[in-house]
Amino acid sequence: MRLRNKPWAKEKIESYPQYIVPNPENFKGKWHKVFHNEQPLHIEVGTGKGRFITEMAKANPHINYIGIELYDSVIVTALDRLIEADLPNLRLLNVNAADLDKYFAKNDVERVYLNFSDPWPKKRHEKRRLTYKDFLKLYESILVDGGEIHFKTDNQGLFEYSLMSFSAYGMLLKYISLDLHNSDFEGNIMTEYEQKFSEKGNRIYRCEVKYQN
């Protein structure tokens, strides 16, 4: 992904602490204090411009959502969406997903969304894939027992790799679609990339997997 430098982005991020949580490590194990309720928490790792997580929060007010995005120049677009929508059940974190266990404790999260993650196709970059075993272990460390990962991509190679990675880790494959937009799946909310790729005729792959106790 080519990023356009936005030198003003960091200042804008710091101007909206009510939406992009500063010092999120202070809320590890206590996210109910941010949302002022005890609702289930779902997170999206690599939230990008925020379309998916914003629409999910609108559609499911009984669930709290956190979108996680490392790049300042990308998360500011998600911030604009959140400012406009002003959703009480959505917050953003401008942090590295590799550090999730610094910000979330075991049982903090019920579901992790991975949407159109970088495929890192070269073998030497395998450890950077968000479905690599080390990341699966990281998600498990913050999820409730039996927590789930919902994964979408247009990259067949990454999808096949991820299915093998989930299976090797001992996860239960609950749902698999090899062509989501031509399936009977209801309630799909598209990301920006998903719309772009599907309009080009690319198939969208989706799966739901569950950690087994």
Side-chain angles (χ1 to χ4, degrees), residues 52 114-117 150-154 159 180-181 188-191 194 204-207:
F52 174 84
L114 303 174
N115 293 316
F116 298 86
S117 310
H150 290 196
F151 175 62
K152 282 198 289 188
T153 183
D154 72 315
F159 192 70
L180 178 62
H181 292 186
N188 181 52
I189 290 178
M190 287 199 290
T191 74
E194 184 172 354
I204 305 301
Y205 304 88
R206 184 180 185 277
C207 68

Side-chain angles (χ1 to χ4, degrees), residues 29-30 42-43 45 47 51 56 64-65 74 85 89 96 100 114 116-117 128 137 143 145 148 167 179 181 193 196 206:
K30 311 181 270 196
H42 295 184
I43 68 172
V45 177
T47 208
R51 174 177 173 178
M56 288 293 285
N64 295 329
Y65 292 89
V74 178
N89 62 327
N96 192 327
L100 285 177
L114 303 174
F116 298 86
S117 310
R128 299 185 184 184
K137 184 177 181 180
L143 282 163
D145 290 338
E148 296 183 358
S167 182
D179 191 358
H181 292 186
Y193 278 121
K196 175 182 174 181
R206 184 180 185 277

Side-chain angles (χ1 to χ4, degrees), residues 110-128:
E110 288 202 2
R111 184 177 300 170
V112 173
Y113 293 100
L114 303 174
N115 293 316
F116 298 86
S117 310
D118 192 324
W120 294 105
K122 294 180 179 178
K123 180 64 177 175
R124 69 175 185 271
H125 292 150
E126 179 186 7
K127 291 183 178 181
R128 299 185 184 184

Side-chain angles (χ1 to χ4, degrees), residues 35 39 57-58 60-65 87-91:
F35 292 101
Q39 294 181 166
K58 287 180 183 177
N60 302 286
H62 58 289
I63 296 171
N64 295 329
Y65 292 89
L87 297 165
N89 62 327
L90 175 59
R91 295 292 183 270

Side-chain angles (χ1 to χ4, degrees), residues 29-110:
K30 311 181 270 196
W31 283 100
H32 62 280
K33 292 188 176 181
V34 172
F35 292 101
H36 306 292
N37 60 52
E38 298 285 347
Q39 294 181 166
L41 177 60
H42 295 184
I43 68 172
E44 183 185 20
V45 177
T47 208
K49 296 179 179 179
R51 174 177 173 178
F52 174 84
I53 200 76
T54 302
E55 294 304 316
M56 288 293 285
K58 287 180 183 177
N60 302 286
H62 58 289
I63 296 171
N64 295 329
Y65 292 89
I66 293 178
I68 295 161
E69 177 57 49
L70 174 62
Y71 298 106
D72 296 359
S73 57
V74 178
I75 202 171
V76 288
T77 303
L79 173 59
D80 285 338
R81 289 183 185 275
L82 181 48
I83 291 170
E84 182 178 354
D86 193 27
L87 297 165
N89 62 327
L90 175 59
R91 295 292 183 270
L92 302 172
L93 299 187
N94 185 206
V95 299
N96 192 327
D99 298 325
L100 285 177
D101 55 350
K102 292 181 181 178
Y103 313 116
F104 300 98
K106 178 64 177 173
N107 298 321
D108 269 353
V109 180
E110 288 202 2

